[in-house]
């Protein structure tokens, strides 16, 4: 269906804005709770398709914004973790704010196939972690661009914070166990051969944090 002419929308004179899901950062519990509420479809009626809105960007181009406000089913928390666990999806969430907002740009930057990027973006959109918009230039073909939602930013910040805290705690555990092992060596409770063997075991166990 062709976009309506600009005259049909006299009230839409501001640049296109993808409305954020959240207004502030959230903790893990609040994020999961909000996600479960917003991603739950209504059992009383049929599921609607992504909502469409027509507006204009800062250059005066006609833009169609699509938001996924009515997903088809309520997600499980573990499924959300699976989605967030993908390094490719996390890289996409990091790259979108840097100007890599088109699938082809992302594919070149990540050095992967365009079809793979499209698949990842579709799943991120389904979970409300990105929004997409169709830009209709005065001449030429429409261009689909993506933008991270506030929920996507919150999830990425949460993951990075958890990883940082986990790494710090893991390093602390290694330092404590190594100190105990060195104390046993100094006290003569274990021989040097046993010390080096146990130290190597410790380094192997904690190598991800070292």
């Amino acid at each position: 269906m062709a976009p309506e002419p600009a005259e049909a929308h006299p009230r839409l004179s501001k640049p296109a804005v993808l409305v954020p899901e959240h207004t502030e950062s959230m903790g893990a519990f609040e994020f999961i709770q909000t996600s479960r509420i917003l991603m739950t479809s209504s059992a009383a009626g049929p599921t609607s398709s992504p909502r469409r809105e027509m507006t204009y960007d800062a250059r005066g181009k006609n833009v169609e914004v699509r938001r996924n406000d009515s997903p088809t089913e309520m997600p499980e928390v573990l499924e959300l973790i699976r989605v967030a666990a993908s390094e490719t999806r996390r890289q996409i969430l990091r790259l979108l704010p840097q100007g890599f907002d088109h699938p082809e740009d992302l594919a070149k930057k990540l050095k992967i196939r365009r079809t793979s990027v499209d698949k990842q973006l579709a799943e991120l959109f389904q979970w409300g972690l990105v929004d997409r918009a169709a830009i209709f230039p005065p001449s030429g073909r429409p261009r689909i661009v993506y933008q991270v939602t506030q929920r996507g930013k919150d999830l990425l910040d949460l993951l990075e914070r958890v990883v940082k805290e986990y790494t710090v705690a893991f390093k602390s555990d290694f330092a404590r166990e190594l100190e105990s092992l060195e104390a046993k060596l100094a006290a003569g409770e274990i021989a040097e051969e046993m010390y080096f063997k146990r130290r190597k075991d410790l380094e192997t166990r904690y190598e991800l944090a070292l």
Side-chain angles (χ1 to χ4, degrees):
M1 179 182 297
E4 297 179 17
E7 290 75 12
H9 304 276
R11 66 181 183 282
L12 297 176
S13 57
K14 297 183 179 179
V17 177
L18 298 179
V19 181
E21 303 278 354
H22 305 144
T23 56
E24 58 184 12
S25 297
M26 300 178 291
F29 177 76
E30 291 84 356
F31 181 86
I32 292 173
Q33 288 296 98
T34 304
S35 298
R36 292 180 66 87
I37 293 172
L38 294 181
M39 298 299 288
T40 302
S41 59
S42 173
T47 302
S48 61
S49 58
R51 179 162 50 93
R52 299 186 181 186
E53 299 176 3
M54 298 303 300
T55 184
Y56 305 90
D57 67 5
R59 292 165 293 184
K61 295 179 179 179
N62 198 7
V63 176
E64 177 185 301
V65 180
R66 295 170 60 85
R67 297 189 178 85
N68 190 13
D69 297 332
S70 303
T72 56
E73 59 183 14
M74 181 171 65
E76 296 293 338
V77 175
L78 291 180
E79 183 67 7
L80 176 60
I81 294 175
R82 180 194 67 77
V83 172
S86 167
E87 177 60 22
T88 300
R89 284 189 281 270
R90 292 201 305 275
Q91 287 181 330
I92 288 175
L93 292 177
R94 295 189 191 101
L95 288 172
L96 286 174
Q98 299 177 26
F100 299 92
D101 56 0
H102 189 271
E104 194 65 37
D105 299 333
L106 290 167
K108 291 179 180 179
K109 181 66 176 180
L110 296 173
K111 297 180 180 180
I112 59 178
R113 294 181 178 180
R114 164 69 186 270
T115 54
S116 178
V117 171
D118 288 336
K119 180 180 179 181
Q120 306 299 340
L121 286 169
E123 189 155 16
L124 290 171
F125 176 75
Q126 181 181 3
W127 281 82
L129 302 178
V130 301
D131 276 339
R132 63 176 174 236
I135 299 178
F136 299 89
S139 61
R141 301 177 60 183
R143 178 180 174 86
I144 303 297
V145 296
Y146 290 80
Q147 187 176 57
V148 180
T149 63
Q150 187 60 48
R151 178 176 297 167
K153 294 176 183 178
D154 288 339
L155 178 59
L156 194 58
D157 290 344
L158 176 62
L159 290 173
E160 292 179 347
R161 186 167 66 250
V162 168
V163 169
K164 182 178 180 180
E165 293 175 355
Y166 178 82
T167 302
V168 170
F170 215 45
K171 286 183 177 180
S172 178
D173 290 344
F174 171 76
R176 184 177 61 255
E177 293 194 37
L178 181 59
E179 182 180 359
S180 175
L181 184 62
E182 291 174 344
K184 290 181 179 180
L185 175 64
E189 297 179 13
I190 58 175
E192 289 185 7
E193 183 178 354
M194 180 59 68
Y195 165 79
F196 286 113
K197 180 180 181 303
R198 291 186 179 180
R199 175 166 181 149
K200 184 177 180 180
D201 291 340
L202 282 177
E203 291 173 346
T204 299
R205 178 183 179 187
Y206 293 98
E207 63 180 348
L208 292 178
L210 299 180

